[in-house]
Amino acid sequence: MPDINIFGINVIEVSFRWLHAFMVAGWLLFDFLVYWLHFDVKNPAVPLEARLERAKIMHGIDRIVAYIFILTLPVGIILCYLTDNAPFSSTWLTWKHVLYAVIVIDGLCLIPISGTAVRNLKAIKDGAENVDELNHEIKHHMNIAMPAVFVVWALVIAISVLTLLNLKQPEDQEYFFRDASVVTTVEQDRS
């Protein structure tokens, strides 16, 4: 891959760093939007049309979130390649990928929930006789999902902190948040 340097900054590498960061930030932002919308969707006191509209928006945002968290991995792997850090070459990168795997599994369990809300609300709109049961199912599934949502948020924040604590400058690969001489001394003591 060609090096495009402007003022000593590798534009491709920095672009992938920012893309990766914006994907994670977008992921969290969209997740917060879904969380905010779910309160109206599960509340039977809110007018049906408003609930259905919010459920459709929620479901659409969930799809965007799914694409973002699927695409975050290849962008991160490309970033590893650009910074000469193999994906499992260090403890922190290994932990980052393990936590990401947990998030993906957790996220895959969450995706059907907004679809269930849309389906049930459409059935209510079409005149289903078991309205109370359908409303209960929406509320029940969304309440069960909340701990999983909080786990995703906590793990994304943990990954972000891990990344920040191990962030290196692109040019000379010195750590931002710790003194490289301390790391070198510790590594020499282990030898």
Side-chain angles (χ1 to χ4, degrees), residues 1 5 17-18 21 37 45 89 94 111 113 123 131 134 150 152 157 159 162 165 171 178 186:
M1 190 171 290
N5 290 307
R17 285 179 187 266
W18 280 105
L37 289 169
S89 62
T94 302
I111 289 172
I113 291 172
V131 172
L134 293 172
F150 297 140
V152 168
I157 291 168
I159 287 172
L162 258 175
L165 293 176
E171 203 54 38
R178 58 182 165 171
V186 171

Side-chain angles (χ1 to χ4, degrees):
M1 190 171 290
D3 283 341
I4 301 172
N5 290 307
I6 298 175
F7 299 112
I9 297 173
N10 185 330
V11 175
I12 295 173
E13 180 183 330
V14 170
S15 297
F16 271 94
R17 285 179 187 266
W18 280 105
L19 176 63
H20 198 58
F22 280 129
M23 289 175 84
V24 173
W27 181 359
L28 275 177
L29 174 68
F30 287 135
D31 254 3
F32 288 139
L33 287 173
V34 168
Y35 177 73
W36 178 68
L37 289 169
H38 102 278
F39 289 109
D40 282 346
V41 171
K42 72 180 185 178
N43 184 357
V46 173
L48 181 61
E49 287 300 320
R51 291 176 68 201
L52 185 56
E53 175 190 342
R54 285 171 178 82
K56 287 177 182 177
I57 292 168
M58 234 175 80
H59 191 60
I61 291 172
D62 273 345
R63 285 184 175 179
I64 293 169
V65 169
Y67 292 131
I68 289 173
F69 80 66
I70 289 169
L71 292 174
T72 300
L73 182 62
V75 170
I77 290 172
I78 291 168
L79 188 55
C80 285
Y81 169 74
L82 291 172
T83 58
D84 294 326
N85 289 314
F88 296 98
S89 62
S90 62
T91 305
W92 78 272
L93 272 173
T94 302
W95 271 107
K96 189 174 172 178
H97 288 98
V98 167
L99 294 176
Y100 178 80
V102 173
I103 290 170
V104 169
I105 292 167
D106 198 37
L108 290 173
C109 295
L110 290 171
I111 289 172
I113 291 172
S114 63
T116 301
V118 171
R119 185 186 69 240
N120 286 0
L121 290 170
K122 282 183 179 177
I124 292 170
K125 184 179 179 180
D126 291 341
E129 294 177 15
N130 57 343
V131 172
D132 290 337
E133 182 182 321
L134 293 172
N135 278 325
H136 175 73
E137 185 178 343
I138 291 169
K139 188 172 185 174
H140 177 72
H141 282 128
M142 288 191 173
N143 288 342
I144 286 176
M146 283 305 102
V149 169
F150 297 140
V151 166
V152 168
W153 293 352
L155 293 179
V156 169
I157 291 168
I159 287 172
S160 299
V161 169
L162 258 175
T163 302
L164 284 174
L165 293 176
N166 291 285
L167 193 62
K168 295 180 179 183
Q169 296 174 2
E171 203 54 38
D172 57 5
Q173 294 295 296
E174 292 293 324
Y175 289 98
F176 275 141
F177 295 105
R178 58 182 165 171
D179 186 8
S181 61
V182 173
V183 174
T184 307
T185 306
V186 171
E187 289 174 357
Q188 288 174 351
D189 289 343
R190 290 183 187 164
S191 304

